[in-house]
Amino acid sequence: MYVRAEVYLSEEQGPAAAAEFQKILDHRGLLWNCATGTLAHLGLARAYVLQGDTAKAKAAYQDFLTLWKDADSEIPIFIDAKSEYAKLR
């Protein structure tokens, strides 16, 4: 599901990407100790941006940033996520 969602995202198919990322989040028990579950929040945020849904994108970015609040601040994906979120505000 995650790879399919990322492909949809790279093809700028926001609704399809959002649907796949949401499937991952709906089945969190399968990914309770896997980074894919956390990264699905970021992917969902990016999919919402493609759809022009700023409110949902902000919420998804906030979910991701909350989960990664103790992450190393030098991780590139974390830096990108914070930058993307800042652009929405």
Side-chain angles (χ1 to χ4, degrees):
M1 280 184 281
Y2 185 81
V3 172
R4 185 172 33 244
E6 284 291 328
V7 169
Y8 285 138
L9 198 58
S10 71
E11 294 177 350
E12 297 187 5
Q13 295 181 22
E20 293 299 321
F21 285 120
Q22 190 60 56
K23 286 179 192 176
I24 294 168
L25 296 174
D26 289 344
H27 296 93
R28 289 185 187 142
L30 297 174
L31 301 168
W32 67 273
N33 197 23
C34 181
T36 305
T38 304
L39 292 174
H41 289 282
L42 179 58
L44 187 60
R46 290 172 172 168
Y48 286 143
V49 168
L50 286 176
Q51 295 179 62
D53 194 334
T54 305
K56 286 185 180 179
K58 284 181 182 179
Y61 275 115
Q62 288 171 347
D63 290 342
F64 173 78
L65 294 172
T66 298
L67 290 168
W68 275 43
K69 68 182 181 296
D70 296 326
D72 181 347
S73 62
E74 300 299 315
I75 297 173
I77 198 162
F78 189 52
I79 294 168
D80 292 346
K82 289 191 301 186
S83 173
E84 293 165 17
Y85 176 67
K87 290 177 186 176
L88 291 177
R89 302 190 311 154

